[in-house]
Amino acid sequence: MREALLHIDGQQVPAEDGATMDVVSPMTGKTIALIAHATPGDVDRAVAAARRAFDDKRWRGIAQRERARVLNRAAQLLAQRVDDFAALETEQIGRPIREMRAQLSRLPEWLEFFGAVAQTDRGSVPDVGEGHVNLIRRVPLGVIGMITPWNHPLLITMKKVSVAIAAGNSMVIKPSELGPLVPLELAKLLEEAGVPAGVVNVVTGAGGTTGRALSEHAGTDKLDVTGGTETGRIIAAEAGRRLIPVTAELGGKAPVIVFDDSPLEEAVAGALFASFVATGQTCVQGSRILVQDTVYDAFLARLLERVGQLRLGDPADNETQIGPLVSALQRKRVADAVDRSRAQGVTVAAGGAVPNGDAFTAGQFYLPTILTDVTTDHDVWRQEIFGPVAVVVPFSDEAEAIRLANDADFGLAGSIWTRDTARGLRMVDQLDIGIVWINDHHRVDPASPWGGMKDSGIGSENAIESFHAYTQLKSTMINTAPSGTDWFGTTEPMRYS
Ligand code: NDP
C-alpha cells in the first residue's frame, strides 16, 4: 500500500505525532493509501519553511526569465506523467480515466502560460507631473495558504500553484483528504524541475484540523480556497480578521439555458455533458436545465434517452462514462437530496436510485438523475447537490429565462444554447454570473478568468488578473528636481506633494 508523507522543505516527513489517515477507493471501498495527518505543529513547520524560502529569496530572487524556464521544464515533466497521474486521480476519487486523461493533459498549459506571464510582466511609470518620476512594480505577496477540494485535485491545485510560483511566492498547500496523492506528486515534480525546496510545501490531513490550522496560521500573507461556500466563509472570515487577501472559489448551481433555435442533438449533448461530467461533482455542474417551452417535450424525451445510455462502471475502464461518487458520505448526501425532492412532489424522470448489479455493489454509484415538475420553491432548485442530479424546467421567453437563471444564491457559471448570437450576448449582460459559455459548457483556459459572483466566491483564478492577485504593487517616487524643497523654511505658498 502507498504511504504518503508530508512535503516540507523538500523532505518527506511523517506527522509529528505519527498520525495517519486512510485514502479509500470509492470503487472498491478498500484503503489505497495512508497519508500523514498533519498537526498544527506540522503546519507551523511548513509555514516556517515557506517563510524561510521567501525571505532568503532563493526563488523570488531569480530572474523572471529563469523562473519561466523552470516552469516550462515542469510542464514537460508533467506532460510525460499525465498517464500515471490520471490513473492515480481515478484510483483516489473514482472519476473515469477518460476524463482524467483529458483534463490532466491540458495542465502543462498553466505552467507555460504563467511562465510567459512572469517573463512579460513589467511595471509602469505613470505621469505624476514634472519634478518626480514614479516607478511601479509588482512584487510577490509572501507565503500563500492554499486549501483545495477533491473533485479536480490536480487541476485546482495547478490553477493556484502555477500562478503563485510564477509570481515568486512560497506556499503551503492543504489538499482535500479525499484527493491528496497527486498534489503531493506535483510538489515533488516542481522540485525536480528546479523549484527550490521550501517554496512548495504540502500538508495533508482533515479540513477541520489541518485545514483549520493553516487558515488560522498567523504566518501566511494570502489565503486561496476552493471548496464549499460555508468553508469559504470560514476561511474568508479568517483572512478578514488578519487583513490579508483571500481568493475563494466556491459553490454553484449553474443554469443551462436552451433556446428552441439550438439544434436539438447539440443542445442535448451539451446539457448531458454539463450535468454529468465528473459524475456531476463539479462546481459548474449544469444542475438547472432551462428549456424553451416550444421544444421542452422533444428535448426532455431525447435527454432521457441519452441519460439511459450513459455507461456506468469501473472508472479505470476506458469505456466508462460515469464512475462512482467520491465517498459513501457524498452518495448519501445525493440520495437524501433526491428523496427529499420526491417527498416534496418532484417527479423523478430518470435515475433516483443506486444502480442494481454486482458491478455496483462495492462502489459508491448513483444513477444519473433527471428531476421534473420542479418549482422555485423546491429545495433542489436552490441547494447545491454536487452529484449526478439535474432538474429540467421550461421557460417561455428571454425574460423568464433570465429570471429563473438569476434565481439562485450562487453566480458561478452558466451556459446558453442558441444560434442567435445577439440574443446570447443580450442574455450574458443580464446574468449575475461570473463565467458564461455560449454553445459550450465548462470550457476552461489558463488565459480566461474563472470566478463567481454572489455566494460563489471572491476573486478569479486564471489569466493576468490572477497573477496580479498574487502580487502587490510597490510604488517608488523619485524627486528629480535639482534641489530639494524646504517646507518649513519659507512662508510662501507651497505645492503639497
Ligand atoms: P469542502 O468545503 O468540504 O472542502 C474544501 C477544502 O477545505 C478541503 O481541503 C477541506 O478539507 C477543507 N476544509 C474543510 N473545512 C475546513 C475548515 N473549517 N477550515 C479549513 N479548511 C477546511 O469542499 P469539497 O472538497 O467537498 O468540494 C466541493 C465544493 O467545492 C463544492 O461546493 C464545489 O462547488 C466547490 N468547488 C468550487 C469550485 C470553483 O471553482 N468555484 C471548483 C471545485 C469545487 P477536507 O476535504 O480534508 O475535509
Side-chain angles (χ1 to χ4, degrees), residues 124-171:
S124 61
V125 188
D127 182 0
V128 291
E130 200 156 338
H132 286 90
V133 171
N134 186 198
L135 303 180
I136 300 183
R137 287 172 301 149
R138 290 198 167 272
V139 294
L141 294 170
V143 175
I144 316 296
M146 298 176 178
I147 296 176
T148 59
W150 48 264
N151 62 330
H152 310 284
L154 191 59
L155 167 68
I156 289 173
T157 308
M158 181 60 86
K159 285 206 272 182
K160 300 182 193 308
V161 169
S162 54
V163 58
I165 46 175
N169 297 285
S170 300
M171 64 218 68

Short mmCIF file of all heavy atoms in Angstrom, two decimals, residues 124-171:
data_model
loop_
_atom_site.label_atom_id
_atom_site.label_comp_id
_atom_site.label_asym_id
_atom_site.label_seq_id
_atom_site.Cartn_x
_atom_site.Cartn_y
_atom_site.Cartn_z
N SER A 124 5.13 49.93 -14.37
CA SER A 124 4.66 51.09 -15.13
C SER A 124 5.23 52.36 -14.53
O SER A 124 5.75 52.37 -13.40
CB SER A 124 3.13 51.14 -15.15
OG SER A 124 2.67 51.25 -13.83
N VAL A 125 5.18 53.41 -15.30
CA VAL A 125 5.70 54.71 -14.87
C VAL A 125 4.63 55.76 -15.17
O VAL A 125 4.68 56.42 -16.21
CB VAL A 125 7.02 55.05 -15.63
CG1 VAL A 125 7.67 56.30 -15.05
CG2 VAL A 125 7.99 53.89 -15.56
N PRO A 126 3.66 55.92 -14.30
CA PRO A 126 2.60 56.88 -14.58
C PRO A 126 3.12 58.32 -14.50
O PRO A 126 4.10 58.59 -13.80
CB PRO A 126 1.57 56.62 -13.49
CG PRO A 126 2.34 56.01 -12.39
CD PRO A 126 3.47 55.25 -13.00
N ASP A 127 2.46 59.20 -15.23
CA ASP A 127 2.85 60.61 -15.21
C ASP A 127 2.34 61.25 -13.93
O ASP A 127 1.13 61.35 -13.71
CB ASP A 127 2.22 61.29 -16.45
CG ASP A 127 2.61 62.76 -16.53
OD1 ASP A 127 3.36 63.23 -15.63
OD2 ASP A 127 2.17 63.42 -17.48
N VAL A 128 3.26 61.65 -13.05
CA VAL A 128 2.84 62.29 -11.79
C VAL A 128 3.24 63.77 -11.78
O VAL A 128 3.29 64.41 -10.73
CB VAL A 128 3.44 61.56 -10.57
CG1 VAL A 128 2.83 60.19 -10.40
CG2 VAL A 128 4.96 61.46 -10.67
N GLY A 129 3.56 64.31 -12.95
CA GLY A 129 3.91 65.73 -13.03
C GLY A 129 5.41 65.92 -13.02
O GLY A 129 6.18 65.04 -12.61
N GLU A 130 5.80 67.11 -13.44
CA GLU A 130 7.23 67.39 -13.55
C GLU A 130 7.91 67.38 -12.18
O GLU A 130 7.30 67.75 -11.18
CB GLU A 130 7.41 68.77 -14.21
CG GLU A 130 8.78 68.91 -14.78
CD GLU A 130 8.82 69.94 -15.90
OE1 GLU A 130 7.77 70.21 -16.50
OE2 GLU A 130 9.91 70.45 -16.13
N GLY A 131 9.14 66.98 -12.15
CA GLY A 131 9.90 67.01 -10.90
C GLY A 131 9.88 65.68 -10.15
O GLY A 131 10.62 65.51 -9.17
N HIS A 132 9.05 64.75 -10.60
CA HIS A 132 9.04 63.43 -9.95
C HIS A 132 8.87 62.33 -10.99
O HIS A 132 8.21 62.54 -12.00
CB HIS A 132 7.89 63.32 -8.94
CG HIS A 132 8.11 64.09 -7.69
ND1 HIS A 132 7.72 65.39 -7.55
CD2 HIS A 132 8.71 63.74 -6.53
CE1 HIS A 132 8.06 65.83 -6.35
NE2 HIS A 132 8.66 64.84 -5.71
N VAL A 133 9.48 61.22 -10.71
CA VAL A 133 9.24 60.02 -11.53
C VAL A 133 8.71 58.94 -10.58
O VAL A 133 9.22 58.77 -9.47
CB VAL A 133 10.55 59.54 -12.20
CG1 VAL A 133 10.36 58.17 -12.85
CG2 VAL A 133 11.03 60.56 -13.22
N ASN A 134 7.67 58.27 -11.02
CA ASN A 134 7.06 57.23 -10.18
C ASN A 134 7.25 55.86 -10.83
O ASN A 134 6.77 55.61 -11.94
CB ASN A 134 5.56 57.56 -10.05
CG ASN A 134 4.84 56.63 -9.07
OD1 ASN A 134 3.63 56.55 -9.09
ND2 ASN A 134 5.56 55.96 -8.21
N LEU A 135 7.97 54.99 -10.14
CA LEU A 135 8.16 53.62 -10.63
C LEU A 135 7.20 52.69 -9.90
O LEU A 135 7.17 52.69 -8.67
CB LEU A 135 9.58 53.13 -10.35
CG LEU A 135 10.75 53.96 -10.89
CD1 LEU A 135 12.06 53.29 -10.50
CD2 LEU A 135 10.64 54.08 -12.40
N ILE A 136 6.42 51.94 -10.65
CA ILE A 136 5.51 50.99 -10.01
C ILE A 136 5.88 49.58 -10.45
O ILE A 136 5.96 49.29 -11.65
CB ILE A 136 4.05 51.30 -10.36
CG1 ILE A 136 3.73 52.72 -9.87
CG2 ILE A 136 3.11 50.29 -9.73
CD1 ILE A 136 2.32 53.15 -10.08
N ARG A 137 6.13 48.74 -9.47
CA ARG A 137 6.49 47.35 -9.76
C ARG A 137 5.55 46.41 -9.02
O ARG A 137 4.96 46.81 -8.01
CB ARG A 137 7.92 47.07 -9.29
CG ARG A 137 8.99 47.69 -10.16
CD ARG A 137 10.34 47.53 -9.51
NE ARG A 137 10.36 48.16 -8.20
CZ ARG A 137 11.10 47.75 -7.17
NH1 ARG A 137 11.89 46.70 -7.30
NH2 ARG A 137 11.07 48.37 -6.01
N ARG A 138 5.46 45.20 -9.52
CA ARG A 138 4.70 44.18 -8.80
C ARG A 138 5.69 43.30 -8.05
O ARG A 138 6.67 42.85 -8.62
CB ARG A 138 3.91 43.31 -9.78
CG ARG A 138 2.79 44.04 -10.42
CD ARG A 138 1.74 43.16 -11.03
NE ARG A 138 0.60 44.00 -11.33
CZ ARG A 138 -0.37 44.26 -10.47
NH1 ARG A 138 -0.37 43.71 -9.27
NH2 ARG A 138 -1.34 45.07 -10.79
N VAL A 139 5.38 43.05 -6.79
CA VAL A 139 6.24 42.16 -6.00
C VAL A 139 5.37 41.02 -5.44
O VAL A 139 4.17 41.21 -5.24
CB VAL A 139 6.94 42.93 -4.85
CG1 VAL A 139 7.92 43.94 -5.41
CG2 VAL A 139 5.93 43.61 -3.93
N PRO A 140 5.97 39.86 -5.20
CA PRO A 140 5.16 38.75 -4.67
C PRO A 140 4.63 39.06 -3.27
O PRO A 140 5.17 39.93 -2.57
CB PRO A 140 6.14 37.57 -4.65
CG PRO A 140 7.50 38.16 -4.79
CD PRO A 140 7.36 39.48 -5.46
N LEU A 141 3.60 38.33 -2.87
CA LEU A 141 2.95 38.61 -1.59
C LEU A 141 3.70 38.01 -0.42
O LEU A 141 3.74 38.58 0.67
CB LEU A 141 1.53 38.03 -1.59
CG LEU A 141 0.55 38.68 -2.57
CD1 LEU A 141 -0.73 37.85 -2.64
CD2 LEU A 141 0.23 40.09 -2.14
N GLY A 142 4.26 36.80 -0.60
CA GLY A 142 4.94 36.12 0.51
C GLY A 142 4.55 34.67 0.57
O GLY A 142 4.69 33.94 -0.41
N VAL A 143 4.00 34.25 1.72
CA VAL A 143 3.63 32.85 1.94
C VAL A 143 2.12 32.72 1.72
O VAL A 143 1.34 33.42 2.35
CB VAL A 143 3.99 32.38 3.36
CG1 VAL A 143 3.49 30.96 3.61
CG2 VAL A 143 5.51 32.48 3.57
N ILE A 144 1.74 31.80 0.83
CA ILE A 144 0.32 31.62 0.50
C ILE A 144 -0.18 30.33 1.14
O ILE A 144 0.47 29.28 1.01
CB ILE A 144 0.10 31.52 -1.03
CG1 ILE A 144 0.93 32.57 -1.79
CG2 ILE A 144 -1.38 31.58 -1.37
CD1 ILE A 144 0.59 33.99 -1.54
N GLY A 145 -1.32 30.38 1.77
CA GLY A 145 -2.00 29.18 2.27
C GLY A 145 -3.07 28.78 1.27
O GLY A 145 -3.95 29.57 0.95
N MET A 146 -2.96 27.56 0.74
CA MET A 146 -3.91 27.10 -0.30
C MET A 146 -4.69 25.91 0.22
O MET A 146 -4.10 24.95 0.73
CB MET A 146 -3.16 26.66 -1.55
CG MET A 146 -2.38 27.78 -2.19
SD MET A 146 -1.45 27.12 -3.57
CE MET A 146 -0.68 28.61 -4.16
N ILE A 147 -5.99 25.96 0.05
CA ILE A 147 -6.85 24.87 0.53
C ILE A 147 -7.70 24.42 -0.65
O ILE A 147 -8.41 25.23 -1.26
CB ILE A 147 -7.69 25.37 1.72
CG1 ILE A 147 -6.73 25.70 2.87
CG2 ILE A 147 -8.71 24.32 2.13
CD1 ILE A 147 -7.33 26.29 4.09
N THR A 148 -7.56 23.14 -1.02
CA THR A 148 -8.15 22.70 -2.29
C THR A 148 -9.11 21.50 -2.08
O THR A 148 -8.96 20.76 -1.11
CB THR A 148 -7.04 22.30 -3.29
OG1 THR A 148 -6.25 21.26 -2.72
CG2 THR A 148 -6.15 23.48 -3.62
N PRO A 149 -10.05 21.32 -3.00
CA PRO A 149 -11.05 20.26 -2.85
C PRO A 149 -10.63 18.98 -3.55
O PRO A 149 -9.55 18.91 -4.15
CB PRO A 149 -12.27 20.88 -3.53
CG PRO A 149 -11.69 21.65 -4.66
CD PRO A 149 -10.34 22.14 -4.20
N TRP A 150 -11.52 18.00 -3.55
CA TRP A 150 -11.18 16.68 -4.08
C TRP A 150 -11.66 16.47 -5.50
O TRP A 150 -11.29 15.50 -6.14
CB TRP A 150 -11.81 15.59 -3.20
CG TRP A 150 -13.26 15.85 -2.91
CD1 TRP A 150 -13.74 16.46 -1.78
CD2 TRP A 150 -14.38 15.58 -3.75
NE1 TRP A 150 -15.12 16.59 -1.88
CE2 TRP A 150 -15.53 16.05 -3.08
CE3 TRP A 150 -14.54 14.98 -5.00
CZ2 TRP A 150 -16.82 15.96 -3.61
CZ3 TRP A 150 -15.82 14.89 -5.53
CH2 TRP A 150 -16.94 15.37 -4.84
N ASN A 151 -12.51 17.34 -6.01
CA ASN A 151 -13.19 16.95 -7.26
C ASN A 151 -12.31 17.09 -8.50
O ASN A 151 -12.47 16.34 -9.46
CB ASN A 151 -14.51 17.69 -7.42
CG ASN A 151 -14.34 19.17 -7.51
OD1 ASN A 151 -13.40 19.72 -6.95
ND2 ASN A 151 -15.21 19.83 -8.24
N HIS A 152 -11.41 18.08 -8.51
CA HIS A 152 -10.37 18.14 -9.55
C HIS A 152 -9.05 18.32 -8.79
O HIS A 152 -8.51 19.43 -8.75
CB HIS A 152 -10.54 19.35 -10.47
CG HIS A 152 -11.90 19.57 -11.05
ND1 HIS A 152 -12.39 18.83 -12.09
CD2 HIS A 152 -12.84 20.49 -10.76
CE1 HIS A 152 -13.60 19.29 -12.42
NE2 HIS A 152 -13.89 20.29 -11.62
N PRO A 153 -8.52 17.28 -8.16
CA PRO A 153 -7.39 17.52 -7.25
C PRO A 153 -6.22 18.23 -7.91
O PRO A 153 -5.70 19.21 -7.36
CB PRO A 153 -7.00 16.12 -6.80
CG PRO A 153 -8.24 15.31 -6.96
CD PRO A 153 -8.95 15.88 -8.16
N LEU A 154 -5.80 17.77 -9.11
CA LEU A 154 -4.62 18.41 -9.68
C LEU A 154 -4.96 19.70 -10.42
O LEU A 154 -4.24 20.69 -10.31
CB LEU A 154 -3.88 17.45 -10.62
CG LEU A 154 -2.50 17.96 -11.03
CD1 LEU A 154 -1.60 18.19 -9.83
CD2 LEU A 154 -1.82 17.02 -12.01
N LEU A 155 -6.07 19.73 -11.13
CA LEU A 155 -6.44 20.94 -11.88
C LEU A 155 -6.52 22.15 -10.94
O LEU A 155 -5.92 23.20 -11.21
CB LEU A 155 -7.78 20.75 -12.59
CG LEU A 155 -8.43 22.03 -13.14
CD1 LEU A 155 -7.63 22.62 -14.28
CD2 LEU A 155 -9.87 21.79 -13.59
N ILE A 156 -7.22 21.98 -9.83
CA ILE A 156 -7.42 23.14 -8.96
C ILE A 156 -6.12 23.51 -8.25
O ILE A 156 -5.79 24.68 -8.10
CB ILE A 156 -8.60 22.90 -8.00
CG1 ILE A 156 -9.89 22.93 -8.84
CG2 ILE A 156 -8.65 23.94 -6.89
CD1 ILE A 156 -11.15 22.55 -8.13
N THR A 157 -5.34 22.51 -7.85
CA THR A 157 -4.04 22.82 -7.25
C THR A 157 -3.17 23.55 -8.28
O THR A 157 -2.51 24.55 -7.96
CB THR A 157 -3.34 21.52 -6.78
OG1 THR A 157 -4.25 20.80 -5.96
CG2 THR A 157 -2.09 21.82 -5.99
N MET A 158 -3.20 23.08 -9.51
CA MET A 158 -2.38 23.69 -10.56
C MET A 158 -2.79 25.13 -10.82
O MET A 158 -1.94 26.00 -11.03
CB MET A 158 -2.49 22.86 -11.84
CG MET A 158 -1.68 23.38 -12.98
SD MET A 158 0.07 23.43 -12.56
CE MET A 158 0.52 21.77 -13.00
N LYS A 159 -4.11 25.39 -10.83
CA LYS A 159 -4.57 26.76 -11.10
C LYS A 159 -3.97 27.74 -10.08
O LYS A 159 -3.65 28.86 -10.41
CB LYS A 159 -6.10 26.82 -11.04
CG LYS A 159 -6.76 26.21 -12.26
CD LYS A 159 -8.15 26.80 -12.52
CE LYS A 159 -9.23 26.09 -11.79
NZ LYS A 159 -10.56 26.65 -12.08
N LYS A 160 -3.81 27.27 -8.85
CA LYS A 160 -3.28 28.16 -7.82
C LYS A 160 -1.75 28.18 -7.82
O LYS A 160 -1.12 29.24 -7.76
CB LYS A 160 -3.79 27.71 -6.45
CG LYS A 160 -5.33 27.73 -6.34
CD LYS A 160 -5.77 27.32 -4.95
CE LYS A 160 -7.25 27.01 -4.86
NZ LYS A 160 -8.16 28.02 -5.38
N VAL A 161 -1.16 26.97 -7.89
CA VAL A 161 0.30 26.88 -7.72
C VAL A 161 1.03 27.51 -8.90
O VAL A 161 2.04 28.21 -8.71
CB VAL A 161 0.71 25.38 -7.57
CG1 VAL A 161 2.21 25.23 -7.68
CG2 VAL A 161 0.21 24.84 -6.24
N SER A 162 0.54 27.30 -10.13
CA SER A 162 1.28 27.80 -11.30
C SER A 162 1.43 29.32 -11.22
O SER A 162 2.52 29.85 -11.45
CB SER A 162 0.57 27.40 -12.60
OG SER A 162 -0.78 27.82 -12.58
N VAL A 163 0.38 30.01 -10.86
CA VAL A 163 0.46 31.47 -10.83
C VAL A 163 1.24 31.94 -9.59
O VAL A 163 2.02 32.90 -9.66
CB VAL A 163 -0.95 32.11 -10.92
CG1 VAL A 163 -1.86 31.66 -9.84
CG2 VAL A 163 -0.86 33.62 -10.94
N ALA A 164 1.05 31.23 -8.48
CA ALA A 164 1.73 31.66 -7.25
C ALA A 164 3.25 31.54 -7.39
O ALA A 164 3.99 32.45 -6.99
CB ALA A 164 1.25 30.82 -6.06
N ILE A 165 3.71 30.43 -7.98
CA ILE A 165 5.18 30.31 -8.11
C ILE A 165 5.69 31.23 -9.22
O ILE A 165 6.77 31.80 -9.09
CB ILE A 165 5.71 28.87 -8.33
CG1 ILE A 165 4.93 28.11 -9.35
CG2 ILE A 165 5.87 28.11 -7.07
CD1 ILE A 165 5.54 26.74 -9.65
N ALA A 166 4.90 31.40 -10.29
CA ALA A 166 5.35 32.31 -11.35
C ALA A 166 5.58 33.70 -10.79
O ALA A 166 6.50 34.41 -11.19
CB ALA A 166 4.32 32.35 -12.48
N ALA A 167 4.75 34.09 -9.83
CA ALA A 167 4.87 35.44 -9.25
C ALA A 167 5.96 35.51 -8.18
O ALA A 167 6.24 36.59 -7.67
CB ALA A 167 3.53 35.86 -8.68
N GLY A 168 6.54 34.36 -7.79
CA GLY A 168 7.67 34.40 -6.85
C GLY A 168 7.30 34.14 -5.40
O GLY A 168 8.10 34.39 -4.50
N ASN A 169 6.08 33.67 -5.16
CA ASN A 169 5.65 33.39 -3.78
C ASN A 169 6.15 32.02 -3.31
O ASN A 169 6.57 31.18 -4.10
CB ASN A 169 4.12 33.38 -3.71
CG ASN A 169 3.53 34.73 -4.07
OD1 ASN A 169 3.59 35.66 -3.28
ND2 ASN A 169 2.99 34.86 -5.27
N SER A 170 6.00 31.78 -1.99
CA SER A 170 6.16 30.44 -1.42
C SER A 170 4.78 30.00 -0.97
O SER A 170 3.88 30.84 -0.81
CB SER A 170 7.08 30.48 -0.20
OG SER A 170 8.34 30.95 -0.57
N MET A 171 4.60 28.70 -0.71
CA MET A 171 3.23 28.27 -0.39
C MET A 171 3.18 27.00 0.45
O MET A 171 4.13 26.20 0.45
CB MET A 171 2.44 28.07 -1.68
CG MET A 171 2.95 26.98 -2.58
SD MET A 171 2.82 27.44 -4.33
CE MET A 171 4.01 28.77 -4.47
#
